[in-house]
Amino acid sequence: MGKNLAFSVLLVFAFAKAYSQQQVIDTTRTTELEAVVLTATRTARQLSSLPLPVTLVPKKQIIQSGTIRLNEILSEQTGIITIPDESGFEGVQIQGIASDYVLILIDGVPLVGRSAGNFDLSRLTVGNIKQIEVVKGPSSSLYGSEALGGVINIITEKPKGEILNGNISYRIGRFTQQDINIDIKQRIKKLRYALFANRFSSEGYDLNPDAAGQTVNPFENYTLNGRVFYDLTDKLELFSSVRFYDQTQESGFVVDETAFEGDTEEQEWNAHLRLNHKWNDKLNAEYEMYYTNYSASERLASPVSDEVLSDSDFDQRLLRPEVRFNYAFAKAKTGWNKGTLTTGIGLQYDELDRTFFDNKVSFNSQYIYTQYDANVLERLNMIVGARFDNHSEYSNQLSPKLALRYKINDAIAVKGSVGYGFKAPDFRQLYFDFTNTAVGYTVLGYNVAVDKLAALQAQGQILDVVVSENELGNPLEAESSVGYNLGMTYNKGKWNTELNLFRNDFKNLIDTRIIARKTNGQNVFSYVNFDEIYTTGFEVNAGYKVNKNLRVNAGYQLLYAFDKANEKRVENGDVFARDLQTNQTVVVDRSDYFGLVNRSRHNANLKIFYDIPNLKINLNLRMLYRSKYAQFDTNGNGLIDTYDTSFIDGYVTTNVAASKTFYKDFNLQIGANNLLDYTDQNIPTLPGIQGYIRLNYNF
C-alpha cells in the first residue's frame, strides 16, 4: 500500500508540474450557473441554499471521469461507498447505512428488483444523465419506505435544441469490456423527444484461478429509453418515458466435482407518464402515473446428467399513481418571505411472484405528504414536512422532518436537520420459504413461519422448537430511524467548503434468528425485530478553483457504526475471542469492538481536473482511499472484533482520464481505473487495472 500511495503522490506532483508549464492568458471571466436540485424538496432549489446534506454530480463531471455505470461515479463521492454483496452486485452505503435502506429513483420514480435487499447499481448506465442527486439521511417525509437512509435520484436530460442533435460513442477496455451509446434529441415547436440506446458487455474476469469458474462471468446488456415532452397549451406540459433493460449473463458452478452451467437473465420495464399543469402564477400541479416490472430467472443444470442445481424466477411489479400540488405564497406583512407549500397524495400497489413463495404476494399502501419551505427571516430558511403511510402489512407510519439554514454572511451559513425514516418489512422477510438442498438449512418468512414449521414437524424433520408460537404471533414492525445532521458551508472566491456532522439511530431492525433445530443437524431460521444500531461521524468536502482551468476537490468521512446490544455485551464482559498469536481465550474489551461489517472508519478522496483550452484537452486524477473493514464474523462471538480474520486492509485506488477534442465534434478519451493495479480475491469488483479508450462524436 505504501508503494501505491507514493506513486499516487507522484501523480499529483505531475499534474502540478503540467499546470506550471502551461501558460494560458484569458482575460474573460465566465459566471457559472448555480446548480439546481429537485430531489431534496420535490421543487427546484439552488444547491447552495439547501438546509439538507445533498451531493450533486453534474454531467460534465461524469463525462470527464470516463465512468459509464452508476456504481462507478457514486463510488468517487464523499461518504458514499459501493459494497458488493454475496452475488457480486454493488449496492450503495450512505453515512454507514446499508443499500437496503437507500431509495433509487430515476426522474423521481422508484426502481424495483432487490432479490436480497441490495439494489444492483451497475444496471444503470449514465449515458443520458443530466445529473445525479443524492440526499443523505432519512427522507421518508417525502418518499416513504426504503428512503430511511437517503435517496439517489437520476435526472435524465431534457431536449433543448431545435436542430437534431446528440452523440454516438464507443468505448473498449480490458476484459473486452465494451460500451456503446446512441443519444438523439430534438425540439420541434411544441414537441421535444429523446431516444437513447446503450449496449454494455464484458468477457468477465477471474481473480482466483485455483477455484472453478470465473469471479465475474461474461455478460451483455441493453438499455433503451424513449422520452417525449409536449406542450399541450401554455399551461399544460406532457411528459412520457419508456425504458427497457435486458441482460444475459453466463453462470457456472462446480459442486462435488459436478459442473453446472446455465444463464441468468434480467429484464426491466419502466413506463412513466406525467402531466404538469400550471393553474396560475401561484399554483401548479403534477398528475403522475408510473408502472415498472423487473424480472430475473436462473437455471443451472449439469450438461452431463441433467441434474438441476438451481431453477428460480423473480417477477416484481409496481404501480403508482400520484398527484402533487405546489402553492407559492406571497410575502406576508408579518415578515415571512414568499414560501412554497408542497402536498402530494398517492397509492402504491406492489406485487411479487417468486420461486421461493407459495403464491404470488402483494402489498398496497396509501400515502399523503405535505411540506412547507419558506424564508421565515431574511437569513433563515426553514423546511418542515411530514408524510403519513397506510400499509396493508404493517402499522401506519408518520414521518416528520425539520430542516433549518441560517446565512451568517455572504460566505458562511449553518444548517441542521432532523428527520424520521422507516422501512417496511419486505416480501422476503414475510413470505420466504427456502431450503438449501446442499446444506439442509431452512429460512422462513415471518408470516408463513408458524404453518411451515408445523408442516416440517409433521414430516418428522424437526428435533426441537426453540421459539414459542406466541413469539411468532405478533407482526413484524417497520424498521425505523431518527437522523440528525448539523453542518456549515463556506463559499467565497475560489473556495467551496462544507462540513456535516451526522447521527442515525435505528431501532426494530429486522434480522434472522433460529426458531427450530432440524434432525439433520441444521437450523430453521426466521425473521425478528431486535437490533438497535447507530451510525455517527462527520464528512467534509473542500473545493478550490486555482484558476479557470484547474480545480481541486477533496473529501473525507469519519464513521462509527455500532450495535447497541453488542456494546452492552462488551461492557458487561460477556464477549470472548481467541487470540491467534497466543492461542488463548480473551475477553473482548471496548477497544477491540470494531463495529458493523463492511464499514470503514476512514474514507477519503482527492480529485484534480485540469483543462488546457488552447489544446482542447482535459486531464483528471481521482484518488480514493478506504481504510480497513471486516466482511463477516469469523470467531462466532456475534460481532466484529480485532481478533476476527476477515478484515480487508486499507487501500488506495487511483483513476485517471485524459480527453482531447478534435475536428470540433470528436472527442477521444484514454483512461485507466485502478491504475495502481490493486487486487484482492475478497473484493470481486476490483480486478486490477482497467484501461480503456473511448471515442465520442457529437452532432
Side-chain angles (χ1 to χ4, degrees):
M1 178 181 168
K3 293 180 180 179
N4 291 346
L5 186 58
F7 187 72
S8 298
V9 173
L10 287 175
L11 283 175
V12 174
F13 279 108
F15 267 72
K17 183 68 173 175
Y19 164 68
S20 66
Q21 292 178 344
Q22 175 64 27
Q23 300 295 327
V24 179
I25 299 176
D26 188 350
T27 57
T28 62
R29 304 290 295 178
T30 59
T31 302
E32 295 183 3
L33 296 177
E34 177 65 55
V36 175
V37 177
L38 301 172
T39 312
T41 62
R42 283 190 180 262
T43 57
R45 280 287 304 269
Q46 289 184 347
L47 176 63
S48 63
S49 69
L50 283 169
L52 302 165
V54 176
T55 296
L56 185 143
V57 187
K59 178 181 179 181
K60 181 178 179 180
Q61 182 179 333
I62 296 172
I63 294 174
Q64 290 183 342
S65 300
T67 52
I68 53 177
R69 313 304 284 187
L70 183 61
N71 57 308
E72 295 176 345
I73 189 65
L74 287 179
S75 67
E76 297 185 355
Q77 312 309 311
T78 303
I80 302 175
I81 308 297
T82 53
I83 302 291
D85 62 13
E86 62 275 5
S87 65
F89 292 157
E90 276 195 296
V92 65
Q93 184 188 106
I94 298 177
Q95 292 185 349
I97 304 171
S99 173
D100 310 46
Y101 309 100
V102 178
L103 183 63
I104 310 297
L105 308 174
I106 184 165
D107 288 325
V109 290
L111 298 174
V112 299
R114 301 170 183 250
S115 60
N118 209 6
F119 187 94
D120 180 19
L121 297 174
S122 66
R123 276 166 44 189
L124 300 171
T125 176
V126 297
N128 65 334
I129 290 179
K130 174 188 175 185
Q131 63 190 42
I132 302 166
E133 302 174 3
V134 182
V135 182
K136 299 177 179 179
S139 301
S140 294
S141 62
L142 283 177
Y143 295 99
S145 181
E146 292 185 11
L148 180 149
V151 174
I152 298 173
N153 192 9
I154 303 156
I155 310 293
T156 57
E157 286 189 287
K158 186 175 182 178
K160 295 179 180 179
E162 295 186 359
I163 300 175
L164 182 69
N165 65 94
N167 68 83
I168 300 173
S169 69
Y170 174 74
R171 169 177 141 158
I172 185 167
R174 191 183 178 191
F175 312 120
T176 321
Q177 188 186 83
Q178 299 181 76
D179 185 79
I180 304 171
N181 283 328
I182 301 176
D183 192 18
I184 299 172
K185 302 182 289 290
Q186 188 178 16
R187 177 173 184 171
I188 306 174
K189 296 182 179 179
K190 295 183 177 182
L191 174 69
R192 308 183 197 194
Y193 71 90
L195 301 173
F196 173 77
N198 170 264
R199 180 188 182 274
F200 182 49
S201 64
S202 171
E203 291 185 352
Y205 52 83
D206 189 11
L207 296 180
N208 187 6
D210 295 332
Q214 292 188 203
T215 303
V216 171
N217 291 310
F219 67 86
E220 65 176 1
N221 62 52
Y222 298 85
T223 300
L224 303 174
N225 184 209
R227 288 165 292 126
V228 173
F229 302 80
Y230 188 75
D231 297 327
L232 298 171
T233 68
D234 292 340
K235 296 184 176 182
L236 284 175
E237 181 189 50
L238 179 69
F239 164 73
S240 62
S241 173
V242 176
R243 177 177 169 273
F244 173 70
Y245 171 82
D246 179 88
Q247 173 169 288
T248 301
Q249 183 170 21
E250 296 179 14
S251 297
F253 292 94
V254 176
V255 180
D256 296 332
E257 299 184 352
T258 301
F260 294 90
E261 299 175 357
D263 289 325
T264 299
E265 297 181 353
E266 295 178 78
Q267 281 194 349
E268 180 181 10
W269 283 96
N270 312 119
H272 186 189
L273 184 67
R274 184 177 67 232
L275 183 65
N276 300 326
H277 184 189
K278 183 178 180 181
W279 287 84
N280 51 50
D281 291 339
K282 295 182 178 181
L283 177 65
N284 66 76
E286 295 178 321
Y287 316 103
E288 188 172 72
M289 178 66 73
Y290 174 66
Y291 170 79
T292 184
N293 171 219
Y294 172 84
S295 61
S297 62
E298 179 184 69
R299 179 179 172 83
L300 295 174
S302 169
V304 177
S305 64
D306 290 332
E307 179 185 354
V308 176
L309 175 68
S310 173
D311 190 359
S312 62
D313 293 286
F314 183 100
D315 189 1
Q316 185 176 7
R317 303 168 189 271
L318 183 145
L319 176 67
R320 195 192 79 173
E322 182 176 298
V323 179
R324 293 186 294 275
F325 296 93
N326 292 308
Y327 184 80
F329 291 94
K331 184 175 181 180
K333 295 181 180 180
T334 57
W336 287 58
N337 290 331
K338 185 176 181 180
T340 301
L341 178 68
T342 300
T343 301
I345 186 170
L347 61 90
Q348 185 163 300
Y349 177 78
D350 200 354
E351 175 185 279
L352 177 60
D353 190 3
R354 189 175 182 180
T355 299
F356 304 115
F357 293 175
D358 285 345
N359 302 294
K360 184 186 299 183
V361 294
S362 63
F363 293 158
N364 64 81
S365 62
Q366 305 81 39
Y367 58 87
I368 183 171
Y369 60 86
T370 187
Q371 173 186 269
Y372 185 60
D373 179 359
N375 289 330
V376 296
L377 298 172
E378 182 180 356
R379 295 179 178 270
L380 179 63
N381 175 245
M382 178 186 71
I383 297 176
V384 58
R387 170 168 164 149
F388 178 78
D389 284 83
N390 175 44
H391 197 278
S392 61
E393 298 298 323
Y394 65 93
S395 57
N396 300 335
Q397 295 289 320
L398 178 65
S399 307
K401 188 164 192 173
L402 172 67
L404 299 169
R405 179 182 182 272
Y406 183 74
K407 187 176 180 180
I408 297 175
N409 54 43
D410 291 341
I412 302 174
V414 294
K415 58 184 180 180
S417 64
V418 57
Y420 173 85
F422 78 95
K423 180 180 180 296
D426 60 32
F427 289 117
R428 172 176 52 94
Q429 293 163 342
L430 294 178
Y431 299 105
F432 209 40
D433 179 11
F434 171 76
T435 297
N436 186 295
T437 55
V439 180
Y441 67 85
T442 297
V443 183
L444 301 175
Y446 192 86
N447 284 9
V448 300
V450 174
D451 292 339
K452 296 295 181 181
L453 190 58
L456 291 173
Q457 285 178 304
Q459 297 168 10
Q461 296 189 40
I462 301 300
L463 181 64
D464 65 314
V465 178
V466 299
V467 175
S468 67
E469 186 173 323
N470 290 335
E471 288 187 65
L472 296 174
N474 297 322
L476 281 180
E477 298 291 335
E479 301 171 282
S480 63
S481 78
V482 177
Y484 308 88
N485 287 273
L486 178 63
M488 180 175 67
T489 60
Y490 175 79
N491 296 296
K492 186 176 182 180
K494 298 179 179 181
W495 283 100
N496 182 352
T497 307
E498 180 173 3
L499 170 69
N500 184 60
L501 292 82
F502 60 86
R503 166 91 182 200
N504 298 283
D505 283 283
F506 294 77
K507 67 177 183 179
N508 289 330
L509 289 191
I510 299 172
D511 206 342
T512 56
R513 65 168 171 176
I514 298 172
I515 63 172
R517 305 186 191 281
K518 303 177 75 173
T519 55
N520 64 359
Q522 296 297 320
N523 297 314
V524 179
F525 299 88
S526 189
Y527 297 90
V528 66
N529 294 110
F530 63 84
D531 279 343
E532 292 188 2
I533 70 169
Y534 67 91
T535 70
T536 187
F538 72 87
E539 55 191 32
V540 59
N541 274 298
Y544 183 69
K545 190 171 183 180
V546 180
N547 62 21
K548 183 181 178 182
N549 302 321
L550 180 61
R551 311 185 310 277
V552 180
N553 293 278
Y556 169 76
Q557 182 193 66
L558 174 69
L559 172 68
Y560 294 93
F562 294 104
D563 184 310
K564 295 179 181 179
N566 281 334
E567 282 186 320
K568 292 180 180 178
R569 291 175 58 211
V570 171
E571 291 173 3
N572 295 335
D574 296 334
V575 183
F576 302 89
R578 181 171 295 278
D579 189 328
L580 296 180
Q581 293 182 347
T582 64
N583 202 32
Q584 299 293 317
T585 299
V586 297
V587 178
V588 175
D589 61 33
R590 188 62 182 83
S591 63
D592 294 323
Y593 179 29
F594 190 80
L596 302 181
V597 298
N598 277 331
R599 271 75 171 184
S600 294
R601 186 80 72 242
H602 310 282
N603 293 282
N605 63 72
L606 173 65
K607 290 176 274 193
I608 302 173
F609 291 87
Y610 179 51
D611 294 320
I612 308 176
N614 60 338
L615 299 178
K616 297 181 179 179
I617 290 176
N618 172 263
L619 307 172
N620 62 80
L621 165 71
R622 294 109 56 210
M623 295 168 51
L624 313 174
Y625 169 71
R626 182 175 184 189
S627 67
K628 73 172 185 176
Y629 62 96
Q631 294 188 311
F632 49 86
D633 171 30
T634 58
N635 54 28
N637 59 11
L639 52 78
I640 300 298
D641 56 61
T642 55
Y643 302 102
D644 280 301
T645 59
S646 68
F647 279 99
I648 304 293
D649 291 332
Y651 60 90
V652 174
T653 55
T654 301
N655 305 330
V656 295
S659 58
K660 160 73 175 175
T661 299
F662 57 96
Y663 297 122
K664 187 179 179 180
D665 295 321
F666 288 89
N667 182 272
L668 179 67
Q669 185 177 62
I670 299 174
N673 294 330
N674 196 8
L675 180 65
L676 306 183
D677 202 25
Y678 177 82
T679 60
D680 190 316
Q681 292 182 6
N682 296 305
I683 310 177
T685 53
L686 281 178
I689 186 171
Q690 300 173 70
Y692 63 86
I693 183 169
R694 178 177 182 265
L695 180 64
N696 181 80
Y697 170 63
N698 294 307
F699 58 87

